[in-house]
Amino acid sequence: METILELKDALDTATFYGVNNQNILCLKNQHPDIRVIARGYQLKVSGSEASISHFEHNLRKVEAFCIQHNTLNEEQILQLIHGEQPQDFLQDNLILHGVNGKPILARSINQQALVRAYDDNDLLFAQGPAGSGKTYTAIALAVRALKNREVKRIILSRPAVEAGEKLGFLPGDMKEKIDPYLQPLYDALQDMIPATKLNEYMERGVIQIAPLAFMRGRTLADAVVILDEAQNTTTAQLKMFLTRLGINGKMIVTGDLTQIDLPASQKSGLRDAMEKLQHVKGIAMVEFNQKDIVRHPLVKHIVSAYASAPKEQDNA
């Protein structure tokens, strides 16, 4: 008999098949009674009903491992087929496995608090200094939700404050104009999703990255929506953003109230929202601090030095 086996959409086929298809050849060689033709997300399998059933059973184990860990090699395939557990990927405070199986962890107390708050709240605010992992942890939570099919989309946004949301004077098309402001979001995604899969997600609109101005008029349902650098939003902008939340949606708003680039006379939308919404049920606020900084050790000292220096102006 002959049948078509569909691979799951969350699978990165480049990782699954391996270099020169070495992974799928390894899997096929462990099932000599069948014939396999692989193309994209489909496998055409020929053989007896029992042989195909046995192959599919092992295929699904290997597929699930690859989706979860973002890595796959011949040794792991053989271990999975023979009922063994590949090298221990479990770690404390693991959020997900990134590219090449890299563990993405909630490393600090407040990163862990953000992970816990995500499970119980639909709107989260994460405020704190540069390098404390606010945005990285938020994006990891969003990618995990997408991989687990809890949501259908990830939407990432930032206010392009340096250009006053007026990007026309910059060279290039719209994507080229806004990319410099959104690059930190790309960087995090590239750590967590293999390149070919990330490109596919972005082409299909499963992952969208856009400046804050593009959020107006949208209803963001079945999505994890992250607004980064929210300290640079006005009160009206952040209110507009928060009211985009749709059914089965989650929002994470991140920012640093010590790095406000708005005019001195203008109150930060992040500060305003955290004051007004702090007692609303279903909204969680996590305050990061210098102890959460996970960049180069010098960053903690830099943040501390600036925090203790006299302020030249106070952007309230």
Side-chain angles (χ1 to χ4, degrees), residues 7-200:
L7 298 173
K8 292 181 179 177
D9 179 69
L11 184 71
D12 176 56
T13 53
T15 303
F16 179 76
Y17 288 131
V19 178
N20 296 324
N21 291 322
Q22 61 186 15
N23 289 339
I24 194 67
L25 289 173
C26 175
L27 184 60
K28 160 68 176 69
N29 290 339
Q30 298 303 305
H31 303 80
D33 297 335
I34 64 166
R35 182 169 180 263
V36 179
I37 299 175
R39 181 171 298 171
Y41 285 90
Q42 289 188 339
L43 300 181
K44 183 186 291 186
V45 185
S46 306
S48 69
E49 184 175 354
S51 296
I52 291 175
S53 177
H54 183 234
F55 172 78
E56 182 175 10
H57 175 73
N58 286 327
L59 170 72
R60 297 308 178 191
K61 288 196 293 185
V62 173
E63 177 189 53
F65 179 88
C66 187
I67 291 173
Q68 182 180 359
H69 300 294
N70 271 332
T71 188
L72 189 66
N73 58 41
E74 294 177 67
E75 181 182 359
Q76 291 162 346
I77 292 170
L78 295 175
Q79 289 175 316
L80 288 163
I81 288 176
H82 294 104
E84 302 171 12
Q85 183 61 36
Q87 67 181 77
D88 190 5
F89 280 82
L90 297 178
Q91 299 191 39
D92 290 340
N93 303 312
L94 176 71
I95 302 175
L96 79 160
H97 287 96
V99 174
N100 296 323
K102 173 186 175 183
I104 308 296
L105 308 172
R107 297 182 181 276
S108 72
I109 296 298
N110 287 312
Q111 288 177 20
Q112 294 160 23
L114 186 63
V115 172
R116 291 192 300 270
Y118 177 88
D119 294 331
D120 301 323
N121 300 274
D122 289 336
L123 174 58
L124 295 89
F125 289 87
Q127 193 282 132
S132 54
K134 308 178 300 295
T135 303
Y136 197 83
T137 304
I139 292 177
L141 289 167
V143 172
R144 185 182 71 178
L146 183 66
K147 289 182 68 173
N148 292 343
R149 299 192 173 187
E150 297 165 11
V151 296
K152 296 178 181 178
R153 294 179 297 164
I154 296 173
I155 300 170
L156 308 175
S157 187
R158 269 186 155 198
V161 163
E162 295 85 345
E165 293 280 357
K166 297 176 182 178
L167 302 166
F169 66 89
L170 293 173
D173 60 20
M174 181 53 68
K175 184 177 186 300
E176 291 170 331
K177 293 174 191 290
I178 65 177
D179 273 358
Y181 302 100
L182 305 176
Q183 190 59 47
L185 307 180
Y186 288 111
D187 291 344
L189 287 169
Q190 288 166 354
D191 264 4
M192 301 174 197
I193 303 174
T196 54
K197 191 65 184 177
L198 179 57
N199 289 336
E200 177 191 329

Side-chain angles (χ1 to χ4, degrees), residues 161 231-234 260-264 266-269 313 315:
V161 163
Q231 77 277 2
N232 288 327
T233 61
T234 65
I260 299 172
D261 297 317
L262 297 170
Q266 199 161 37
K267 186 173 185 177
S268 166
Q313 65 176 25
N315 282 320

